[in-house]
Coordinates of all heavy atoms in Angstrom, one line a residue:
L34 N -2.3 -62.5 50.8 CA -3.5 -62.7 50.0 C -3.0 -62.6 48.5 O -1.9 -62.0 48.2 CB -4.4 -61.5 50.2 CG -5.3 -61.6 51.5 CD1 -5.8 -60.2 51.7 CD2 -6.3 -62.5 51.3
P35 N -3.7 -63.5 47.7 CA -3.3 -63.5 46.2 C -3.4 -62.0 45.7 O -4.1 -61.2 45.9 CB -4.4 -64.3 45.6 CG -5.0 -65.2 46.7 CD -4.8 -64.2 47.9
A36 N -2.4 -61.8 44.7 CA -2.3 -60.5 44.1 C -3.4 -60.1 43.3 O -3.7 -58.8 43.3 CB -1.0 -60.6 43.1
E37 N -4.3 -61.0 42.9 CA -5.5 -60.6 42.1 C -6.6 -60.0 42.9 O -7.5 -59.4 42.4 CB -6.0 -61.8 41.3 CG -6.3 -63.0 42.1 CD -5.2 -64.1 42.3 OE1 -4.1 -63.9 41.8 OE2 -5.4 -65.1 42.7
T38 N -6.4 -60.0 44.2 CA -7.3 -59.4 45.1 C -7.1 -57.8 45.0 O -8.2 -57.1 44.9 CB -7.4 -59.8 46.5 OG1 -6.2 -59.5 47.0 CG2 -7.6 -61.2 46.8
S39 N -6.0 -57.4 44.9 CA -5.6 -56.0 44.9 C -6.4 -55.1 45.8 O -6.8 -54.0 45.6 CB -5.8 -55.5 43.4 OG -7.0 -55.5 43.1
W40 N -6.6 -55.7 47.1 CA -7.3 -55.0 48.1 C -6.3 -54.1 48.8 O -5.1 -54.2 49.1 CB -7.9 -55.9 49.1 CG -9.0 -56.7 48.6 CD1 -9.8 -56.5 47.7 CD2 -9.4 -58.2 49.1 NE1 -10.8 -57.5 47.5 CE2 -10.4 -58.5 48.3 CE3 -8.9 -58.9 50.1 CZ2 -11.1 -59.8 48.5 CZ3 -9.5 -60.1 50.3 CH2 -10.7 -60.5 49.5
K41 N -6.8 -52.9 49.3 CA -6.2 -52.0 50.0 C -6.1 -52.6 51.5 O -7.0 -53.3 51.9 CB -6.8 -50.7 50.1 CG -7.1 -50.0 48.7 CD -5.9 -49.2 48.4 CE -6.2 -48.3 47.0 NZ -5.3 -48.9 45.9
P42 N -5.0 -52.3 52.3 CA -4.8 -52.6 53.6 C -6.1 -52.5 54.5 O -6.5 -53.2 55.2 CB -3.6 -52.0 54.2 CG -2.8 -51.8 53.0 CD -3.8 -51.5 51.9
K43 N -6.8 -51.3 54.1 CA -7.9 -50.8 55.0 C -9.1 -51.9 54.7 O -9.9 -52.2 55.7 CB -8.3 -49.5 54.7 CG -9.4 -49.0 55.5 CD -9.8 -47.5 55.4 CE -10.8 -47.1 56.3 NZ -11.2 -45.8 56.5
T44 N -9.2 -52.4 53.4 CA -10.3 -53.3 53.0 C -10.0 -54.6 54.0 O -11.0 -55.1 54.5 CB -10.2 -53.5 51.6 OG1 -10.4 -52.3 50.8 CG2 -11.3 -54.5 51.2
V45 N -8.8 -55.1 54.0 CA -8.5 -56.4 54.7 C -8.8 -56.1 56.2 O -9.3 -57.0 56.8 CB -7.1 -56.8 54.3 CG1 -6.7 -58.0 55.2 CG2 -6.8 -57.0 52.9
R46 N -8.4 -55.0 56.8 CA -8.7 -54.8 58.1 C -10.1 -54.8 58.4 O -10.6 -55.3 59.4 CB -8.0 -53.6 58.6 CG -6.5 -53.7 58.6 CD -5.7 -52.4 59.1 NE -4.3 -52.3 58.7 CZ -3.4 -52.9 59.3 NH1 -3.8 -53.8 60.4 NH2 -2.2 -52.9 58.9
T47 N -10.9 -54.2 57.5 CA -12.4 -54.2 57.6 C -12.9 -55.7 57.7 O -13.7 -56.1 58.3 CB -13.0 -53.5 56.6 OG1 -12.6 -52.1 56.6 CG2 -14.6 -53.6 56.6
L48 N -12.4 -56.5 56.7 CA -12.8 -57.9 56.6 C -12.4 -58.5 57.9 O -13.2 -59.5 58.4 CB -12.0 -58.6 55.5 CG -12.6 -58.1 54.0 CD1 -11.7 -58.7 53.0 CD2 -14.1 -58.6 53.8
L49 N -11.2 -58.4 58.4 CA -10.9 -59.0 59.7 C -11.7 -58.5 60.8 O -12.2 -59.4 61.7 CB -9.2 -58.6 60.1 CG -8.3 -59.2 59.2 CD1 -7.0 -58.5 59.3 CD2 -8.1 -60.7 59.4
D50 N -12.1 -57.2 60.9 CA -13.1 -56.9 61.9 C -14.5 -57.5 61.8 O -15.1 -57.9 62.8 CB -13.3 -55.2 61.7 CG -12.2 -54.4 62.3 OD1 -11.3 -55.0 63.0 OD2 -12.2 -53.2 61.9
R51 N -14.8 -57.6 60.5 CA -16.1 -58.5 60.3 C -16.1 -59.9 60.8 O -17.0 -60.3 61.4 CB -16.5 -58.4 58.8 CG -17.3 -57.1 58.3 CD -18.0 -57.2 57.1 NE -17.1 -57.2 56.0 CZ -17.5 -57.3 54.8 NH1 -18.7 -57.6 54.4 NH2 -16.7 -57.3 53.7
L52 N -15.0 -60.5 60.4 CA -14.7 -62.0 60.8 C -14.8 -62.0 62.4 O -15.1 -63.0 62.9 CB -13.6 -62.5 60.1 CG -13.7 -62.9 58.6 CD1 -12.5 -63.2 57.9 CD2 -14.8 -64.0 58.4
T53 N -14.1 -61.0 63.0 CA -13.9 -61.1 64.5 C -15.4 -60.8 65.1 O -15.7 -61.5 66.0 CB -13.0 -60.0 64.8 OG1 -11.8 -60.3 64.2 CG2 -12.8 -59.9 66.3
N54 N -16.1 -59.8 64.5 CA -17.4 -59.6 65.1 C -18.4 -60.8 64.9 O -19.3 -61.1 65.7 CB -18.0 -58.4 64.4 CG -17.3 -57.1 64.8 OD1 -16.7 -57.1 65.9 ND2 -17.4 -56.2 64.1
K55 N -18.2 -61.5 63.8 CA -19.0 -62.8 63.6 C -18.5 -63.9 64.4 O -19.1 -65.1 64.4 CB -19.0 -63.1 62.1 CG -19.7 -62.2 61.2 CD -19.5 -62.7 59.7 CE -20.2 -61.8 58.7 NZ -20.2 -62.5 57.3
E56 N -17.4 -63.7 65.1 CA -16.7 -64.8 65.9 C -16.4 -66.1 64.9 O -16.5 -67.2 65.4 CB -17.7 -65.3 67.0 CG -18.0 -64.1 68.0 CD -18.9 -64.5 69.2 OE1 -19.3 -65.6 69.2 OE2 -18.9 -63.7 70.1
V57 N -15.8 -65.8 63.8 CA -15.3 -66.7 62.9 C -13.8 -66.8 63.1 O -13.2 -67.8 63.0 CB -15.6 -66.4 61.4 CG1 -15.0 -67.4 60.5 CG2 -17.1 -66.4 61.3
I58 N -13.0 -65.7 63.4 CA -11.7 -65.6 63.8 C -11.6 -65.0 65.3 O -12.4 -64.3 65.7 CB -10.9 -64.8 62.8 CG1 -11.3 -63.4 62.8 CG2 -11.0 -65.4 61.5 CD1 -10.4 -62.5 61.9
G59 N -10.4 -65.3 65.8 CA -10.2 -64.8 67.2 C -9.0 -63.8 67.1 O -8.2 -63.8 66.1
V60 N -8.7 -63.1 68.1 CA -7.6 -62.2 68.1 C -6.8 -62.4 69.5 O -7.4 -62.3 70.5 CB -8.1 -60.8 68.0 CG1 -6.8 -59.7 67.9 CG2 -9.1 -60.4 66.9
H61 N -5.5 -62.4 69.2 CA -4.6 -62.5 70.4 C -4.2 -60.9 70.6 O -3.7 -60.4 69.8 CB -3.3 -63.2 70.2 CG -3.5 -64.7 70.2 ND1 -3.9 -65.5 71.2 CD2 -3.3 -65.5 69.2 CE1 -4.1 -66.7 71.0 NE2 -3.6 -66.8 69.6
K62 N -4.7 -60.4 71.8 CA -4.4 -59.0 72.0 C -3.2 -58.9 73.0 O -3.1 -57.7 73.4 CB -5.6 -58.2 72.5 CG -6.7 -58.3 71.5 CD -8.0 -57.6 72.1 CE -9.2 -57.7 71.0 NZ -10.4 -57.0 71.5
D63 N -2.6 -59.9 73.4 CA -1.7 -59.7 74.5 C -0.2 -59.3 74.2 O 0.7 -59.2 74.8 CB -1.6 -61.1 75.2 CG -1.0 -62.2 74.2 OD1 -1.5 -62.1 73.0 OD2 -0.5 -63.2 74.6
Q64 N -0.2 -59.0 72.7 CA 1.1 -58.5 72.2 C 0.8 -57.0 71.8 O -0.3 -56.5 71.7 CB 1.5 -59.4 71.1 CG 1.7 -60.8 71.6 CD 1.9 -61.6 70.3 OE1 1.8 -61.2 69.1 NE2 2.0 -63.0 70.5
R65 N 1.9 -56.4 71.4 CA 1.8 -55.0 70.9 C 1.0 -55.1 69.5 O 0.3 -54.1 69.1 CB 3.2 -54.4 70.6 CG 3.5 -53.1 71.2 CD 4.8 -52.6 71.1 NE 5.4 -53.0 69.9 CZ 6.2 -52.3 69.2 NH1 6.5 -51.1 69.6 NH2 6.8 -52.9 68.0
V66 N 1.3 -56.1 68.6 CA 0.7 -56.3 67.3 C -0.4 -57.4 67.7 O 0.0 -58.4 68.0 CB 1.7 -56.5 66.3 CG1 1.0 -56.8 65.1 CG2 2.7 -55.5 66.2
Y67 N -1.6 -57.1 67.1 CA -2.6 -58.1 67.3 C -2.4 -59.3 66.3 O -1.9 -59.0 65.1 CB -4.0 -57.5 67.0 CG -4.5 -56.6 68.0 CD1 -3.9 -56.2 69.3 CD2 -5.9 -56.0 67.9 CE1 -4.3 -55.5 70.2 CE2 -6.3 -55.2 68.8 CZ -5.6 -54.9 70.0 OH -6.1 -54.0 71.0
T68 N -2.6 -60.5 66.7 CA -2.7 -61.6 65.7 C -3.9 -62.2 65.6 O -4.6 -62.3 66.6 CB -1.5 -62.6 66.2 OG1 -1.8 -63.1 67.5 CG2 -0.2 -62.1 66.0
F69 N -4.2 -62.8 64.5 CA -5.6 -63.4 64.2 C -5.4 -64.9 64.0 O -4.4 -65.3 63.4 CB -6.2 -62.7 63.0 CG -6.4 -61.2 63.1 CD1 -5.3 -60.3 62.9 CD2 -7.5 -60.7 63.7 CE1 -5.5 -59.0 63.0 CE2 -7.7 -59.3 63.8 CZ -6.7 -58.5 63.5
Y70 N -6.5 -65.6 64.3 CA -6.4 -67.0 64.1 C -7.9 -67.5 63.9 O -8.7 -66.9 64.4 CB -5.9 -67.8 65.4 CG -6.5 -67.5 66.6 CD1 -7.5 -68.3 67.1 CD2 -6.1 -66.4 67.3 CE1 -8.2 -67.9 68.3 CE2 -6.9 -66.0 68.5 CZ -7.9 -66.8 69.0 OH -8.6 -66.5 70.2
P71 N -8.0 -68.5 63.1 CA -9.4 -69.1 62.8 C -10.1 -69.8 64.0 O -9.3 -70.5 64.8 CB -9.3 -70.1 61.7 CG -7.8 -70.4 61.8 CD -7.0 -69.3 62.4
L72 N -11.2 -69.6 64.3 CA -12.1 -70.3 65.3 C -12.7 -71.6 64.8 O -13.2 -72.5 65.5 CB -13.1 -69.4 65.9 CG -12.5 -68.2 66.8 CD1 -13.5 -67.2 67.1 CD2 -11.6 -68.8 67.9
F73 N -12.7 -71.7 63.5 CA -13.2 -72.9 62.8 C -12.3 -73.4 61.9 O -11.6 -72.8 61.3 CB -14.7 -72.6 62.2 CG -15.8 -72.0 63.0 CD1 -15.9 -70.8 63.2 CD2 -16.6 -73.0 63.6 CE1 -16.9 -70.3 64.0 CE2 -17.6 -72.5 64.3 CZ -17.7 -71.1 64.7
S74 N -12.4 -74.8 61.7 CA -11.4 -75.3 60.7 C -12.0 -75.1 59.3 O -13.2 -74.9 59.1 CB -11.3 -77.0 60.9 OG -12.5 -77.5 60.6
Q75 N -11.1 -75.4 58.3 CA -11.5 -75.2 56.9 C -12.7 -76.2 56.5 O -13.7 -76.0 55.9 CB -10.4 -75.3 55.9 CG -10.8 -75.1 54.6 CD -9.5 -75.1 53.6 OE1 -8.4 -75.3 54.1 NE2 -9.7 -74.9 52.4
N76 N -12.5 -77.4 57.1 CA -13.5 -78.5 56.9 C -14.7 -78.1 57.6 O -16.0 -78.4 56.9 CB -13.0 -79.8 57.5 CG -14.0 -81.0 57.2 OD1 -14.3 -81.1 56.2 ND2 -14.1 -81.8 58.3
E77 N -14.9 -77.6 58.8 CA -16.1 -77.2 59.4 C -16.8 -76.1 58.5 O -18.1 -76.2 58.3 CB -15.9 -76.6 60.8 CG -15.4 -77.6 61.8 CD -15.1 -77.1 63.0 OE1 -14.3 -76.1 63.1 OE2 -15.5 -77.6 64.1
C78 N -16.1 -75.1 58.0 CA -16.7 -74.1 57.2 C -17.1 -74.5 55.8 O -18.1 -74.1 55.3 CB -15.6 -72.9 57.0 SG -15.3 -72.0 58.5
Q79 N -16.4 -75.5 55.3 CA -16.8 -76.0 53.9 C -18.0 -76.8 54.2 O -18.9 -76.8 53.4 CB -15.8 -77.0 53.4 CG -14.4 -76.1 52.9 CD -13.3 -77.1 52.3 OE1 -13.2 -78.1 53.0 NE2 -12.6 -76.5 51.4
R80 N -18.2 -77.6 55.2 CA -19.3 -78.3 55.5 C -20.5 -77.5 55.6 O -21.6 -77.8 55.1 CB -19.2 -79.2 56.8 CG -20.4 -80.2 57.1 CD -20.0 -81.1 58.2 NE -18.7 -81.7 58.0 CZ -18.5 -83.0 57.4 NH1 -19.6 -83.5 57.1 NH2 -17.3 -83.5 57.4
A81 N -20.4 -76.3 56.3 CA -21.5 -75.5 56.6 C -21.8 -74.8 55.2 O -23.2 -74.7 55.0 CB -21.2 -74.4 57.6
K82 N -20.9 -74.4 54.4 CA -21.2 -73.7 53.2 C -22.0 -74.8 52.3 O -22.9 -74.4 51.6 CB -19.9 -73.4 52.5 CG -20.0 -72.4 51.4 CD -19.5 -71.0 51.9 CE -19.3 -70.1 50.7 NZ -19.7 -68.8 51.0
T83 N -21.6 -76.1 52.3 CA -22.1 -77.0 51.4 C -23.6 -77.3 51.9 O -24.5 -77.3 51.1 CB -21.4 -78.4 51.5 OG1 -20.1 -78.1 51.0 CG2 -22.0 -79.4 50.6
E84 N -23.8 -77.3 53.2 CA -25.3 -77.5 53.7 C -26.1 -76.4 53.4 O -27.2 -76.6 52.9 CB -25.2 -77.7 55.2 CG -24.7 -79.1 55.8 CD -24.5 -79.1 57.1 OE1 -24.9 -78.2 58.0 OE2 -23.9 -80.2 57.8

Side-chain angles (χ1 to χ4, degrees):
L34 282 165
E37 55 272 5
T38 63
S39 65
W40 293 332
K41 304 269 187 249
K43 186 173 181 175
T44 302
V45 177
R46 291 178 195 282
T47 299
L48 292 170
L49 289 169
D50 285 344
R51 280 200 280 178
L52 286 166
T53 302
N54 290 336
K55 290 180 178 184
E56 298 181 349
V57 176
I58 64 173
V60 185
H61 289 297
K62 297 180 180 179
D63 55 335
Q64 303 167 1
R65 229 174 38 141
V66 178
Y67 291 0
T68 56
F69 300 88
Y70 58 94
L72 295 175
F73 296 95
S74 71
Q75 185 171 6
N76 187 42
E77 289 171 314
C78 289
Q79 287 172 331
R80 185 175 307 266
K82 195 110 166 143
T83 300
E84 287 173 8

